[in-house]
Amino acid sequence: MIKNMIFDMGNVLLDYNPQNYVKAFLHSEEDQDMVLTSLFGGQEWLDLDHGLITEREALKKMLQKLPKRLHQEASALFYGWQNYTRPIESVNLLAIKLHRAGYHLYLLSNTGVRLHVYAHRLPALQYFDGVVMSADVQQVKPEPQIYQILFDRYHLDPKECFFIDDCKQNLKTGEQFGMHGYLFDGDEKKLESALHKQKVNW
């Protein structure tokens, strides 16, 4: 029986679209591409998720890849991109309904420490029973260690968990533990149908 709902964050609870963030700061497509690649597409961004580097260290390395004329905009984007995110209202509302129906909610996300800055943007997060973010534990999905941390920290039986993520590989690891998984593609109605098939009702 499903008792616990495990949510990813990016593109599940919160829209994550770096292309749109870059457009808010730069007009030239060439400049947008350079900054997008340097900030969001490099090893430094992955290291931030992994908790292996500070934001200051990451930005310094990122700026070294860019011409000086873009440093000001790139720095502003690095520290302010979260201001351009929006919660996915339908999934946040569903999470709140599930909480009120008695299910336990948990967040399992690959994210840097900046989550602590923009967590208030997620209406449902106040109802969550626990959070495991990669930068805090220095493990990332789909590595099995971060899943084990979630199970151990909150005393969860994987077979009683329903895991919602937008990445197949992340779900595959969860399923190896025995979790029920669902690949979210933005269609909340299909998600609701998948939950009902697992006898999850609200």
Side-chain angles (χ1 to χ4, degrees):
M1 183 173 68
I2 302 298
K3 298 179 180 179
N4 310 298
M5 308 302 303
I6 316 299
F7 288 86
D8 178 32
M9 182 173 60
N11 293 324
V12 174
L13 289 167
L14 187 79
D15 80 276
Y16 178 72
N17 192 333
Q19 290 88 347
N20 287 344
Y21 313 152
V22 173
K23 289 177 183 178
F25 286 80
L26 298 160
H27 299 294
S28 162
E29 288 189 9
E30 181 181 358
D31 290 348
Q32 290 172 8
D33 289 342
M34 281 195 292
V35 172
L36 180 66
T37 300
S38 297
L39 264 63
F40 298 98
Q43 184 61 43
E44 294 81 15
W45 192 259
L46 298 176
D47 288 345
L48 284 169
D49 279 356
H50 224 129
L52 301 176
I53 192 172
T54 67
E55 288 189 327
R56 186 174 181 178
E57 291 167 339
L59 180 60
K60 182 179 179 180
K61 291 184 177 182
M62 291 169 174
L63 293 180
Q64 290 172 353
K65 304 174 186 178
L66 293 169
K68 286 189 176 181
R69 64 182 177 81
L70 294 177
H71 284 195
Q72 182 175 348
E73 289 85 354
S75 298
L77 173 60
F78 179 81
Y79 286 115
W81 65 268
Q82 71 279 350
N83 296 324
Y84 296 85
T85 62
R86 295 291 181 271
I88 299 176
E89 296 289 352
S90 60
V91 181
N92 277 265
L93 180 58
L94 175 60
I96 294 171
K97 290 178 179 178
L98 290 166
H99 161 76
R100 290 173 177 165
Y103 294 94
H104 299 288
L105 311 181
Y106 300 91
L107 182 70
L108 181 64
S109 178
N110 286 351
T111 183
V113 295
R114 189 144 291 264
L115 172 63
H116 298 302
V117 175
Y118 62 84
H120 67 280
R121 290 181 171 271
L122 297 172
L125 196 58
Q126 61 182 304
Y127 300 101
F128 276 53
D129 297 277
V131 172
V132 174
M133 51 180 282
S134 59
D136 282 347
V137 298
Q138 295 190 329
Q139 300 289 341
V140 296
K141 297 178 294 184
E143 297 171 359
Q145 292 89 341
I146 193 170
Y147 298 79
Q148 194 63 58
I149 290 170
L150 172 73
F151 303 141
D152 291 346
R153 179 180 293 178
Y154 299 109
H155 310 290
L156 304 181
D157 180 348
K159 295 181 178 62
E160 296 177 344
C161 297
F162 190 97
F163 180 32
I164 306 163
D165 202 294
D166 67 330
C167 174
K168 285 184 179 180
Q169 188 58 48
N170 294 345
L171 292 170
K172 183 177 179 181
T173 302
E175 289 167 355
Q176 289 171 353
F177 279 99
M179 281 203 289
H180 304 269
Y182 180 79
L183 183 66
F184 185 65
D185 62 0
D187 190 328
E188 179 235 340
K189 294 300 181 184
K190 288 198 297 185
L191 170 58
E192 289 183 354
S193 178
L195 288 167
H196 287 315
K197 287 179 181 178
Q198 293 294 332
K199 296 182 171 54
V200 175
N201 297 299
W202 54 93

